[in-house]
Amino acid sequence: MVPVVLLVGAVLWQLAVAGHTAWLTANAARAAARADVVGRGAAEAARSALPRSLEDELEVERLSRGGVRVSVSVPLLLPRWSSPVRVGAVASLGRGP
């Protein structure tokens, strides 16, 4: 019974980490979109909005229709393994000057 409870706890904790990563990615996308609209570096703005642990696998893409897509890998509970899952967010504030 104890191993099942530990497994369920680990799965729930991993889901919480994934949700928090998605929230942080959406915030980074908004920061990147704001920077892009005023002519600043979107990648630098996205990087500054994320904790250092998520910066390594950061991908920032300017979209042709306007806006920015930011994606990062979801960290795993065991850091030795690389995560096969990425979360992304898109934000747009309209066209710049």
Side-chain angles (χ1 to χ4, degrees):
M1 181 68 171
V2 172
V4 172
V5 171
L6 291 176
L7 179 63
V8 168
V11 168
L12 290 175
W13 188 254
Q14 185 62 56
L15 289 173
V17 168
H20 186 65
T21 302
W23 181 78
L24 288 171
T25 303
N27 182 52
R30 287 189 298 273
R34 285 190 298 270
D36 190 47
V37 164
V38 298
R40 305 283 181 176
E44 292 81 17
R47 189 172 307 282
S48 72
L50 291 171
R52 288 184 192 215
S53 61
L54 295 178
E55 289 180 359
D56 291 338
E57 308 226 5
L58 172 67
E59 291 181 10
V60 179
E61 176 187 358
R62 290 183 70 202
L63 303 175
S64 60
R65 63 185 186 276
V68 178
R69 175 182 294 125
V70 175
S71 66
V72 297
S73 291
V74 175
L76 295 177
L77 293 178
L78 299 174
R80 289 185 178 202
W81 299 337
S82 63
S83 175
V85 179
R86 295 186 69 81
V87 293
V90 176
S92 175
L93 297 177
R95 296 261 180 217

